[in-house]
Structure formats: structure tokens, C-alpha cells
Amino acid sequence: MATTELVYAGQRGAKARKTAALVAQYVVNIVLGVLFISPLLWMFVTAFNPIQALGSQITSITEFLPKTLSFGNFQAVFTRIPMVRYLLNTLLYALGTVVLVLIVNSLAGYALAKIPFRGRNALIMFIVIMLTIPFEGITLSLYMVVAKLQLLNTPFAVILPSAMSCFYIFMFRQFFTGVPNAVIEAAEIDGCKPLTVFFRIVLPMATPVFVTVFILEFFGKWSDYYWPMLTLTNSNLWNIQIAIADFNSRAEHYGQFMAALTVCTLPIVILFLFLQKYYIQGIATQGMKDM
């Protein structure tokens, strides 16, 4: 009898420790989540705060949340600069780049994963080595090429240099390596050519990695400031990041600047909320290998 009670007591103790560890994990995750989201929360709140409340917002917790929502800061953003034009410019650059990235890099990754040819392993090794070179290391030579082609102050100056990425080629290659060879061989026996196999058989299976690359490249191009600043001197072609940097010098107070940042941030936050499931699946399958 005593032994049974000891066993039950040990089980209850183990269950209690497991519950305590789970509660502690949730508490830590909540605290970290609040810390990470607090800058975004402060940006949104400040954007909707009226001008007279901005001074006390950072000194009083009770004044942090606005008692009345004011859209005056957003009105200033859209009247002082052509924000709609800059948003459309950025959308054009992001979508144009994403389309090229998905086509070029997926085909390259599929060829490296499933089409045998001489020097394939050496090419894969070269791509891995190229991943170590930062973008700043090729900026000057890339700018000279773009200038030589007379593409400066055109959308092509922003879109074309990003069409090929060693990182995305390697990501696609890792995913396609996990596609069973039997599926491809069955399609080839039925008379499908390599491109037909890719677009009709493999591509529908690769939705997670395509969405992952879409999110990474779209977010990267949406937040890009360095390269557009170098290649776009015409203000009519500016993207949203250059426009916000310029607006910072014109804003009457930081509430208007926060409103501009909110306009820039909301589209990518909404997009990520809709696509996060596929993004997580794509990241989780990058280590797949063909059995």
C-alpha cells in the first residue's frame, strides 16, 4: 500500500513539475512577445494620437493610449507627399522582382536538384561560396553595369539586379531534392519533357517554398532603401523607404513620421498574417532529402 502511494505521489509530483515548466514557458514567451511587439504598438498608438497628446505620451502611462483617435497625422502624410504614388512604385518593384525571382531561381534550383549534368556539384559549391559575399561587396560593380546599360532612374534598375539570388537557388534546390524521383520518372515515362514535369508535376507540390520565397523577397524589396537610393534619383520613381526618409525632414512632429511608418508597415503585416502558415511549412521543409 505504501509503495502504491509513493508511486502516485511521484506521478503527481512529475505532473506538477511539468505543468510548472509549461506555465513558465508560456510566461517567458508572453514577456518576449510583448517586448518584441512594443515598438510596433508604440508606432501605431503614436500615429493615431492627436498633436497635443504627444508630449505627455512618453511621460505618463495613462496618456499612452489615445482617448480619441485622430487621423490628422495620416492626412498630413498624404497631403504633404504623393504617398499613393510611392506605394504604387514600391508595389511595382516588389511584385516585378518577386515574379522574376520565382521563375529564375526555381528553375535553377530544380536543375541543380533533379537534372544530372557535368559540373553540377562544383556549381552547387560555387553557389554556397557566393552566399558568403555581402551585397555591399558587389554594389560598385553592379552599379557600373546598370549605368552602362542605361537603366538608371528606371524600374528595371531596381528589379533586374535582384532576379537571381544564390540564397533562393539553394533554398529551391534543397526543397526539390526532397521530391521523390519516382514521381518525376513516372511523368517522363508518360512522355513529359523536363519543363512540363516542372510546371505540371513539381510546381504544385512546391507551394510552401514558393510562398516562403515570395514573402522573403517581397518584404526585402518593400523595405529596401540602399539600392533604390543609389539608382533612383528621380523623385517620381522613389519607393516608400526613400519617401519616408525624405518626409522625416518635413514632418512637423514625430506623430506624422509614425503615421508614415504605419502606412508603410501595415501592408506587409497583413500579408504575413495571411501567408504565415505556408511560410512556416516552407522553412520546416528546407532540410528534406530524397530518400
Side-chain angles (χ1 to χ4, degrees), residues 131-236:
L131 289 174
T132 63
I133 301 178
F135 180 76
E136 290 77 10
I138 62 172
T139 298
L140 179 58
S141 58
L142 189 60
Y143 181 87
M144 294 175 63
V145 171
V146 172
K148 194 71 174 179
L149 294 175
Q150 298 181 353
L151 296 177
L152 295 177
N153 281 319
T154 67
F156 297 105
V158 180
I159 296 174
L160 290 181
S162 303
M164 194 279 293
S165 168
C166 292
F167 176 73
Y168 294 139
I169 291 176
F170 186 74
M171 180 179 289
F172 276 114
R173 187 258 175 190
Q174 289 297 98
F175 182 89
F176 291 139
T177 300
V179 176
N181 289 332
V183 176
I184 299 175
E185 292 170 358
E188 292 175 346
I189 292 174
D190 290 338
C192 295
K193 296 182 179 180
L195 285 179
T196 305
V197 174
F198 176 78
F199 285 106
R200 292 190 178 183
I201 308 298
V202 178
L203 194 146
M205 303 168 59
T207 300
V209 69
F210 271 87
V211 174
T212 300
V213 173
F214 175 89
I215 292 176
L216 292 177
E217 184 59 28
F218 188 90
F219 287 10
K221 190 57 63 176
W222 188 273
S223 60
D224 192 10
Y225 174 79
Y226 177 62
W227 181 249
M229 179 191 64
L230 296 177
T231 56
L232 301 176
T233 57
N234 186 350
S235 61
N236 292 327

Side-chain angles (χ1 to χ4, degrees), residues 38-52:
S38 57
L40 282 177
L41 179 62
W42 184 71
M43 178 184 70
F44 289 144
V45 170
T46 304
F48 286 100
N49 248 337
I51 298 176
Q52 60 270 20

Side-chain angles (χ1 to χ4, degrees), residues 15-70:
K15 186 177 180 179
R17 288 191 297 271
K18 184 177 180 180
T19 302
L22 186 61
V23 170
Q25 181 180 356
Y26 274 109
V27 170
V28 172
N29 289 339
I30 291 173
V31 172
L32 291 177
V34 171
L35 290 176
F36 278 107
I37 204 174
S38 57
L40 282 177
L41 179 62
W42 184 71
M43 178 184 70
F44 289 144
V45 170
T46 304
F48 286 100
N49 248 337
I51 298 176
Q52 60 270 20
L54 293 177
S56 59
Q57 183 188 8
I58 59 177
T59 59
S60 174
I61 298 179
T62 58
E63 294 292 337
F64 179 74
L65 295 176
K67 296 179 177 61
T68 58
L69 295 179
S70 174

Side-chain angles (χ1 to χ4, degrees), residues 234-256:
N234 186 350
S235 61
N236 292 327
L237 297 174
W238 282 354
N239 68 347
I240 188 68
Q241 301 300 330
I242 303 178
I244 289 178
D246 179 72
F247 179 74
N248 187 27
S249 61
R250 305 184 187 185
E252 297 178 355
H253 49 80
Y254 68 88
Q256 294 179 356

